[in-house]
PDB file of all heavy atoms in Angstrom:
ATOM      1  N   ALA A 401      -7.962  -3.882  -0.842  1.00  0.00           N
ATOM      2  CA  ALA A 401      -7.188  -2.753  -1.377  1.00  0.00           C
ATOM      3  C   ALA A 401      -5.736  -3.140  -1.617  1.00  0.00           C
ATOM      4  O   ALA A 401      -5.165  -2.810  -2.676  1.00  0.00           O
ATOM      5  CB  ALA A 401      -7.275  -1.573  -0.404  1.00  0.00           C
ATOM      6  N   MET A 402      -5.121  -3.833  -0.683  1.00  0.00           N
ATOM      7  CA  MET A 402      -3.716  -4.203  -0.855  1.00  0.00           C
ATOM      8  C   MET A 402      -3.540  -5.211  -1.991  1.00  0.00           C
ATOM      9  O   MET A 402      -2.605  -5.110  -2.789  1.00  0.00           O
ATOM     10  CB  MET A 402      -3.165  -4.763   0.457  1.00  0.00           C
ATOM     11  CG  MET A 402      -2.979  -3.718   1.549  1.00  0.00           C
ATOM     12  SD  MET A 402      -2.115  -4.369   2.995  1.00  0.00           S
ATOM     13  CE  MET A 402      -3.275  -5.607   3.567  1.00  0.00           C
ATOM     14  N   ILE A 403      -4.434  -6.204  -2.080  1.00  0.00           N
ATOM     15  CA  ILE A 403      -4.298  -7.215  -3.133  1.00  0.00           C
ATOM     16  C   ILE A 403      -4.482  -6.589  -4.517  1.00  0.00           C
ATOM     17  O   ILE A 403      -3.694  -6.840  -5.440  1.00  0.00           O
ATOM     18  CB  ILE A 403      -5.308  -8.352  -2.898  1.00  0.00           C
ATOM     19  CG1 ILE A 403      -4.929  -9.140  -1.638  1.00  0.00           C
ATOM     20  CG2 ILE A 403      -5.346  -9.279  -4.107  1.00  0.00           C
ATOM     21  CD1 ILE A 403      -5.903 -10.231  -1.295  1.00  0.00           C
ATOM     22  N   ILE A 404      -5.500  -5.762  -4.676  1.00  0.00           N
ATOM     23  CA  ILE A 404      -5.748  -5.143  -5.982  1.00  0.00           C
ATOM     24  C   ILE A 404      -4.614  -4.197  -6.359  1.00  0.00           C
ATOM     25  O   ILE A 404      -4.165  -4.173  -7.517  1.00  0.00           O
ATOM     26  CB  ILE A 404      -7.101  -4.413  -5.970  1.00  0.00           C
ATOM     27  CG1 ILE A 404      -8.248  -5.410  -5.767  1.00  0.00           C
ATOM     28  CG2 ILE A 404      -7.305  -3.644  -7.268  1.00  0.00           C
ATOM     29  CD1 ILE A 404      -8.349  -6.459  -6.841  1.00  0.00           C
ATOM     30  N   HIS A 405      -4.122  -3.421  -5.414  1.00  0.00           N
ATOM     31  CA  HIS A 405      -3.038  -2.479  -5.726  1.00  0.00           C
ATOM     32  C   HIS A 405      -1.763  -3.223  -6.108  1.00  0.00           C
ATOM     33  O   HIS A 405      -1.067  -2.846  -7.072  1.00  0.00           O
ATOM     34  CB  HIS A 405      -2.791  -1.563  -4.526  1.00  0.00           C
ATOM     35  CG  HIS A 405      -1.815  -0.471  -4.812  1.00  0.00           C
ATOM     36  ND1 HIS A 405      -0.451  -0.615  -4.627  1.00  0.00           N
ATOM     37  CD2 HIS A 405      -1.978   0.799  -5.292  1.00  0.00           C
ATOM     38  CE1 HIS A 405       0.164   0.502  -4.958  1.00  0.00           C
ATOM     39  NE2 HIS A 405      -0.726   1.366  -5.375  1.00  0.00           N
ATOM     40  N   LEU A 406      -1.422  -4.270  -5.380  1.00  0.00           N
ATOM     41  CA  LEU A 406      -0.223  -5.033  -5.722  1.00  0.00           C
ATOM     42  C   LEU A 406      -0.377  -5.720  -7.076  1.00  0.00           C
ATOM     43  O   LEU A 406       0.581  -5.805  -7.849  1.00  0.00           O
ATOM     44  CB  LEU A 406       0.055  -6.067  -4.623  1.00  0.00           C
ATOM     45  CG  LEU A 406       0.499  -5.499  -3.273  1.00  0.00           C
ATOM     46  CD1 LEU A 406       0.672  -6.621  -2.254  1.00  0.00           C
ATOM     47  CD2 LEU A 406       1.794  -4.714  -3.405  1.00  0.00           C
ATOM     48  N   ALA A 407      -1.568  -6.209  -7.376  1.00  0.00           N
ATOM     49  CA  ALA A 407      -1.786  -6.848  -8.677  1.00  0.00           C
ATOM     50  C   ALA A 407      -1.663  -5.837  -9.822  1.00  0.00           C
ATOM     51  O   ALA A 407      -1.035  -6.128 -10.849  1.00  0.00           O
ATOM     52  CB  ALA A 407      -3.160  -7.510  -8.696  1.00  0.00           C
ATOM     53  N   LEU A 408      -2.245  -4.652  -9.652  1.00  0.00           N
ATOM     54  CA  LEU A 408      -2.139  -3.623 -10.692  1.00  0.00           C
ATOM     55  C   LEU A 408      -0.695  -3.166 -10.872  1.00  0.00           C
ATOM     56  O   LEU A 408      -0.245  -2.919 -12.004  1.00  0.00           O
ATOM     57  CB  LEU A 408      -3.038  -2.441 -10.334  1.00  0.00           C
ATOM     58  CG  LEU A 408      -4.547  -2.690 -10.392  1.00  0.00           C
ATOM     59  CD1 LEU A 408      -5.306  -1.461  -9.908  1.00  0.00           C
ATOM     60  CD2 LEU A 408      -4.985  -3.054 -11.807  1.00  0.00           C
ATOM     61  N   THR A 409       0.025  -3.043  -9.769  1.00  0.00           N
ATOM     62  CA  THR A 409       1.424  -2.634  -9.871  1.00  0.00           C
ATOM     63  C   THR A 409       2.258  -3.684 -10.589  1.00  0.00           C
ATOM     64  O   THR A 409       3.135  -3.359 -11.400  1.00  0.00           O
ATOM     65  CB  THR A 409       1.988  -2.375  -8.468  1.00  0.00           C
ATOM     66  OG1 THR A 409       1.187  -1.384  -7.803  1.00  0.00           O
ATOM     67  CG2 THR A 409       3.421  -1.876  -8.545  1.00  0.00           C
ATOM     68  N   ALA A 410       1.988  -4.963 -10.289  1.00  0.00           N
ATOM     69  CA  ALA A 410       2.746  -6.031 -10.945  1.00  0.00           C
ATOM     70  C   ALA A 410       2.430  -6.139 -12.432  1.00  0.00           C
ATOM     71  O   ALA A 410       3.307  -6.461 -13.242  1.00  0.00           O
ATOM     72  CB  ALA A 410       2.464  -7.369 -10.247  1.00  0.00           C
ATOM     73  N   LEU A 411       1.185  -5.854 -12.814  1.00  0.00           N
ATOM     74  CA  LEU A 411       0.787  -6.011 -14.213  1.00  0.00           C
ATOM     75  C   LEU A 411       1.075  -4.770 -15.050  1.00  0.00           C
ATOM     76  O   LEU A 411       1.531  -4.882 -16.197  1.00  0.00           O
ATOM     77  CB  LEU A 411      -0.703  -6.359 -14.291  1.00  0.00           C
ATOM     78  CG  LEU A 411      -1.114  -7.729 -13.730  1.00  0.00           C
ATOM     79  CD1 LEU A 411      -2.622  -7.886 -13.768  1.00  0.00           C
ATOM     80  CD2 LEU A 411      -0.444  -8.849 -14.501  1.00  0.00           C
ATOM     81  N   PHE A 412       0.786  -3.600 -14.504  1.00  0.00           N
ATOM     82  CA  PHE A 412       0.850  -2.378 -15.306  1.00  0.00           C
ATOM     83  C   PHE A 412       1.800  -1.328 -14.747  1.00  0.00           C
ATOM     84  O   PHE A 412       1.849  -0.219 -15.283  1.00  0.00           O
ATOM     85  CB  PHE A 412      -0.553  -1.764 -15.424  1.00  0.00           C
ATOM     86  CG  PHE A 412      -1.591  -2.721 -15.909  1.00  0.00           C
ATOM     87  CD1 PHE A 412      -2.529  -3.244 -15.029  1.00  0.00           C
ATOM     88  CD2 PHE A 412      -1.633  -3.110 -17.231  1.00  0.00           C
ATOM     89  CE1 PHE A 412      -3.506  -4.133 -15.462  1.00  0.00           C
ATOM     90  CE2 PHE A 412      -2.595  -3.999 -17.678  1.00  0.00           C
ATOM     91  CZ  PHE A 412      -3.525  -4.513 -16.800  1.00  0.00           C
ATOM     92  N   GLY A 413       2.507  -1.628 -13.683  1.00  0.00           N
ATOM     93  CA  GLY A 413       3.402  -0.644 -13.095  1.00  0.00           C
ATOM     94  C   GLY A 413       4.646  -0.429 -13.938  1.00  0.00           C
ATOM     95  O   GLY A 413       4.996  -1.252 -14.797  1.00  0.00           O
ATOM     96  N   PRO A 414       5.346   0.691 -13.724  1.00  0.00           N
ATOM     97  CA  PRO A 414       6.579   0.955 -14.482  1.00  0.00           C
ATOM     98  C   PRO A 414       7.663  -0.040 -14.114  1.00  0.00           C
ATOM     99  O   PRO A 414       7.751  -0.512 -12.984  1.00  0.00           O
ATOM    100  CB  PRO A 414       6.949   2.390 -14.072  1.00  0.00           C
ATOM    101  CG  PRO A 414       6.303   2.575 -12.735  1.00  0.00           C
ATOM    102  CD  PRO A 414       5.043   1.765 -12.768  1.00  0.00           C
ATOM    103  N   ARG A 415       8.485  -0.376 -15.089  1.00  0.00           N
ATOM    104  CA  ARG A 415       9.576  -1.319 -14.898  1.00  0.00           C
ATOM    105  C   ARG A 415      10.897  -0.575 -14.759  1.00  0.00           C
ATOM    106  O   ARG A 415      11.132   0.437 -15.419  1.00  0.00           O
ATOM    107  CB  ARG A 415       9.659  -2.293 -16.083  1.00  0.00           C
ATOM    108  CG  ARG A 415       8.398  -3.124 -16.292  1.00  0.00           C
ATOM    109  CD  ARG A 415       8.212  -4.111 -15.151  1.00  0.00           C
ATOM    110  NE  ARG A 415       7.121  -5.037 -15.429  1.00  0.00           N
ATOM    111  CZ  ARG A 415       5.863  -4.846 -15.086  1.00  0.00           C
ATOM    112  NH1 ARG A 415       5.525  -3.723 -14.463  1.00  0.00           N
ATOM    113  NH2 ARG A 415       4.936  -5.746 -15.348  1.00  0.00           N
ATOM    114  N   ASP A 416      11.755  -1.075 -13.901  1.00  0.00           N
ATOM    115  CA  ASP A 416      13.082  -0.499 -13.751  1.00  0.00           C
ATOM    116  C   ASP A 416      13.947  -0.898 -14.938  1.00  0.00           C
ATOM    117  O   ASP A 416      13.899  -2.048 -15.398  1.00  0.00           O
ATOM    118  CB  ASP A 416      13.741  -0.992 -12.456  1.00  0.00           C
ATOM    119  CG  ASP A 416      12.997  -0.499 -11.229  1.00  0.00           C
ATOM    120  OD1 ASP A 416      12.362   0.556 -11.328  1.00  0.00           O
ATOM    121  OD2 ASP A 416      13.070  -1.172 -10.175  1.00  0.00           O
TER     122      ASP A 416
END
Side-chain angles (χ1 to χ4, degrees):
M402 289 188 296
I403 292 177
I404 296 300
H405 187 271
L406 291 177
L408 291 176
T409 303
L411 293 175
F412 307 106
R415 300 292 188 269
D416 295 333

